[in-house]
Amino acid sequence: MSTTVGGYREAYEAARRDPERFWLDAARAIDWISPPSRAFDGSLGIYGRWFPDAVCNTCHNALDRHVAGGRGDQAAILYDSPVTGEKRRITYAEMLDEVRVLAGLMAEMGVSKGDRVLIYMPMIPQALVGMLACARLGAVHSVVFGGFAARELAARIEDAEPKLILAASCGLEPNRIVAYKPLLDEAIGISAHKPEACLIFQRPQAAASLQEGRDRDWAAAVRDAASRGVCADCVPVQATDPAYILYTSGTTGRPKGVIRDTGGHMVALAWSLANLYGIRPGEVFWTASDIGWVVGHSYIVYAPLICGATTVLFEGKPVGTPDAGTFWRICEEYRVVTLFTAPTALRAIRKEDPEGAFVKAHDLSRFRALFLAGERADPDTVAWAERTFGIPVIDHWWQTETGWAICGNPFGLGLLPIKHGSPTVPMPGYILEVLDEGGKPVPAGQMGTLAIKLPLPPGNLPTLWRDDARFKESYLSTFPGYYTTSDAGFIDADGYVFVMGRTDDVINVAGHRLSTGSMEEVLASHPAVAECAVIGVKDALKGEVPAGFVVLKAGSESEVAKVEGELVRHVRDKIGPVAAFKLAIAVGKLPKTRSGKILRGTMKKIADGDDWTMPATIEDPTVFEEITVVLKARGLPE
């Protein structure tokens, strides 16, 4: 890929100058039952709706048209599960057959257009079959991360009111089996809404007992349906009809159900896969995430299949299944051209393999780009990856609500110069500004709240499920005419965006607003630090003071006191005494969600002595025990 500014600038300015023409042109990548005559209608919905008069079907675009167009024998999904040793190559034709039968079975079970179907499954092909079967029927799926706690699952059942639940008997972690069915049974028992039926895929590692009158065995029911010739055709839906509901992680109280509309979703994903990620039909694209998160929805399932590419479905971890070379084995074996993963995964790999020995053991000659998102990619990790792979390492920034990148480096249009610490520039359709507390734009280089001028581009949420008022209050009320990202950052003189953390991660130290992201950059640059997190801790004198939690690389654990002292001096040297940075704390692990986001908010509550509850999305609950013990040893909370 060449380095060019023109391709990006031309596209961005075209979308800004004439969004109607730009997005109608982008819509040509989609097969429409009734094509859009206009791209946008500002009189509809809360801030307008995209492709309001178009009719379409997502499953047709993901499967049927590719089979009809000659891609039937091409791999749609490459499934690799190092935790079970199972591998499958599923062609577009095979995938279409499975989806048609399951959709027909679901229709027999009473599912029709507009009904909700909750999916509670691990990273197995049947989960994708279930998602696409919903799309085929015009049903609205809501995928809940497999193994989610029963109370959190119940809250989502109550809010979405699914007619049917698709689930598996269990999920698999490297060292344990997570029984899903008891959690599902408990959630249904708690929930005020009861689904009419559950279809359970029995995994051999832990079969589940089925409740008579409600539960059916997935495999047996599908075999029976296929033997009777049951199948379903694609149901036409309006482009503005919801494709899915995805609940934001880590919520308290009633969860927020992000809606993705059908037409705008397909157009945005088709545009971004080609122009941001640079993927062409027939190529292998791997997103190492989970279908329970928005990244998995957009770039494991829908974008690659809509565009006729091949997607990798991975059930495993970046380290421990069996080692830190798993990612590179998969890239070599399946001829992956581009990998999209979280910075957390890369830091875990680096911690185990700092010299890149596993990388050198594999043929990665086809590997041309590595994309990072999920949380801020610290410059030190990005620089390590660039040295290790010798390819572009591209940070980009987006949210569950947006469905695709707000900012990125458009590899498909021509790579822009990379600035470490920046996800580069806004994508077409995103008019991004930095606002002060009064909603006024600030000068280049000055920090404030990152906000997107309305309307949001295609693929973004039009509202929350059955809650327009909450959508307005949560996202549109702070700055009228803007969607607030609740992220803090700045835009430099070259137009590059720097996301420094959530607005509540900007700490106030004796009247000085300081970015925890800036301090994390400094900590991460120390050669002994594998990963880190900085939080603001209550202080009677200064209001707040920063505390840095660090995980040390293998071999550095014997020098904890020495490294902690160096880190304190390092931050004071780089940021200055104004940071009041005096507390560097080495810990074995940082608390994270299953998607890899560090739970800074809960860490802060513990450090401040505030009441806190175990986050529903926590990967390892025992991590907070160590955090609590370490803080107590340091005299926190005061």
Side-chain angles (χ1 to χ4, degrees):
M1 296 286 174
S2 62
T3 300
T4 174
V5 174
Y8 162 72
R9 289 225 174 120
E10 288 172 7
Y12 187 80
E13 286 306 318
R16 185 167 189 155
R17 183 176 58 252
D18 191 349
E20 185 77 12
R21 181 176 179 180
F22 182 89
W23 291 112
L24 280 177
D25 185 57
R28 292 176 185 166
I30 301 305
D31 273 7
W32 301 93
I33 297 168
S34 178
S37 65
R38 62 193 190 279
F40 186 72
D41 188 337
S43 69
L44 301 177
I46 293 174
Y47 63 82
R49 299 300 298 267
W50 290 97
F51 312 110
D53 61 344
V55 179
C56 55
N57 184 278
T58 297
C59 185
H60 167 81
N61 278 276
L63 296 176
D64 300 67
R65 67 168 175 166
H66 299 310
V67 174
R71 293 191 180 277
D73 293 333
Q74 177 191 313
I77 298 169
L78 297 169
Y79 170 59
D80 192 296
S81 174
V83 294
T84 64
E86 184 183 358
K87 298 178 183 180
R88 282 185 66 191
R89 179 184 184 273
I90 308 171
T91 67
Y92 271 95
E94 290 167 340
M95 192 69 178
L96 178 57
D97 287 344
E98 290 194 35
V99 169
R100 290 176 75 235
V101 174
L102 180 62
L105 172 62
M106 289 166 56
E108 283 192 336
M109 297 174 75
V111 176
S112 60
K113 179 180 173 180
D115 288 336
R116 275 79 61 207
V117 175
L118 189 137
I119 300 174
Y120 185 62
M121 300 188 75
M123 293 286 285
I124 56 177
Q126 289 76 17
L128 276 63
V129 172
M131 293 170 74
L132 289 162
C134 290
R136 193 169 192 84
L137 296 175
V140 182
H141 67 63
S142 183
V143 179
V144 178
F145 187 92
F148 223 44
R151 189 162 294 279
E152 296 296 328
L153 177 57
R156 286 147 178 80
I157 293 171
E158 282 195 357
D159 197 63
E161 297 183 331
K163 180 172 282 188
L164 172 68
I165 293 180
L166 304 178
S169 60
C170 70
L172 303 174
E173 297 290 331
N175 300 309
R176 67 188 180 115
I177 296 172
V178 182
Y180 287 4
K181 187 58 167 45
L183 294 170
L184 176 61
D185 289 342
E186 183 183 348
I188 293 173
I190 295 170
S191 173
H193 173 81
K194 311 297 181 185
E196 293 181 8
C198 298
L199 201 56
I200 309 297
F201 184 80
Q202 298 278 23
R203 302 192 78 184
Q205 292 80 11
S209 58
L210 302 183
Q211 181 174 310
E212 189 174 349
R214 187 195 71 193
D215 300 338
R216 294 182 65 182
D217 181 282
W218 180 310
V222 165
R223 279 196 305 270
D224 174 67
S227 71
R228 294 185 287 109
V230 171
C231 63
D233 293 327
C234 292
V235 174
V237 300
Q238 292 296 128
T240 53
D241 285 344
Y244 66 77
I245 306 166
L246 182 58
Y247 291 95
T248 52
S249 62
T251 55
T252 56
R254 190 165 58 86
K256 287 191 288 192
V258 170
I259 295 175
R260 199 77 61 216
D261 61 358
T262 301
H265 175 236
M266 287 196 287
V267 172
L269 293 186
W271 188 91
S272 63
L273 196 74
N275 295 288
L276 174 57
Y277 300 99
I279 300 298
R280 295 181 285 270
E283 293 186 324
V284 181
F285 182 64
W286 178 23
T287 298
S289 180
D290 190 284
I291 59 164
W293 311 125
V294 67
V295 169
H297 278 58
S298 294
Y299 296 106
I300 294 175
V301 186
Y302 288 114
L305 298 181
I306 287 169
C307 294
T310 297
T311 186
V312 176
L313 182 67
F314 173 68
E315 186 184 31
K317 300 287 184 182
V319 297
T321 57
D323 52 42
T326 298
F327 273 25
W328 322 129
R329 187 267 300 171
I330 288 175
C331 287
E332 177 183 32
E333 185 172 336
Y334 299 123
R335 302 185 175 189
V336 172
V337 298
T338 298
L339 168 63
F340 175 0
T341 191
T344 300
L346 210 58
R347 287 192 287 266
I349 292 169
R350 181 188 180 191
K351 184 175 187 280
E352 297 294 319
D353 186 26
E355 303 303 318
F358 283 114
V359 177
K360 296 167 188 171
H362 294 281
D363 176 9
L364 302 181
S365 57
R366 296 177 183 84
F367 191 31
R368 62 178 183 237
L370 172 62
F371 281 82
L372 301 174
E375 63 173 339
R376 191 165 181 272
D378 60 281
D380 194 52
T381 298
V382 173
W384 173 83
E386 288 173 337
R387 292 192 304 271
T388 303
F389 298 107
I391 59 172
V393 178
I394 302 169
D395 185 17
H396 60 324
W397 168 54
W398 49 305
Q399 301 178 330
T400 298
E401 291 85 350
T402 68
W404 64 293
I406 303 169
C407 291
N409 197 327
F411 194 63
L413 291 174
L415 193 69
L416 301 178
I418 290 172
K419 291 189 182 185
H420 290 174
S422 171
T424 315
V425 291
M427 290 295 94
Y430 290 100
I431 311 300
L432 188 67
E433 295 182 9
V434 182
L435 306 179
D436 64 18
E437 291 178 356
K440 302 292 186 185
V442 302
Q446 186 172 319
M447 199 152 83
T449 298
L450 293 160
I452 304 164
K453 198 168 186 179
L454 296 176
L456 296 172
N460 281 245
L461 81 169
T463 186
L464 294 173
W465 175 248
R466 291 177 171 172
D467 207 339
D468 289 353
R470 192 178 186 191
F471 172 66
K472 292 175 186 175
E473 175 63 27
S474 298
Y475 301 103
L476 308 184
S477 63
T478 305
F479 305 113
Y482 291 87
Y483 165 94
T484 179
T485 67
S486 295
D487 276 315
F490 63 92
I491 301 176
D492 73 9
D494 297 325
Y496 278 58
V497 177
F498 289 77
V499 185
M500 304 309 294
R502 301 294 285 173
T503 49
D504 52 7
D505 289 336
V506 176
I507 62 175
N508 194 317
V509 180
H512 298 281
R513 285 170 59 83
L514 299 170
S515 163
T516 56
S518 298
M519 296 181 215
E520 288 178 5
E521 274 191 23
V522 176
L523 296 178
S525 68
H526 190 287
V529 173
E531 57 182 341
C532 62
V534 175
I535 62 171
V537 178
K538 286 179 185 175
D539 182 78
L541 180 63
K542 296 180 181 290
E544 282 184 301
V545 293
F549 293 79
V550 298
V551 177
L552 302 183
K553 293 177 184 174
S556 301
E557 295 90 341
S558 61
E559 300 181 306
V560 169
K562 176 175 176 287
V563 172
E564 288 179 347
E566 290 174 354
L567 290 172
V568 170
R569 291 192 296 274
H570 206 30
V571 172
R572 292 178 69 84
D573 289 345
K574 295 289 184 181
I575 296 180
V578 69
F581 189 86
K582 299 177 182 178
L583 200 57
I585 305 169
V587 293
K589 294 172 70 176
L590 293 174
K592 297 174 186 174
T593 67
R594 295 184 182 94
S595 63
K597 291 185 179 180
I598 298 169
L599 291 159
R600 294 172 177 84
T602 307
M603 293 169 69
K604 176 175 172 56
K605 287 179 181 178
I606 295 172
D608 288 345
D610 295 341
D611 292 336
W612 64 282
T613 56
M614 187 67 69
T617 54
I618 185 73
E619 182 176 48
D620 181 1
T622 64
V623 176
F624 284 125
E625 296 173 12
E626 182 193 1
I627 297 284
T628 302
V629 169
V630 170
L631 284 170
K632 188 172 290 187
R634 302 296 178 106
L636 292 172
E638 293 181 347

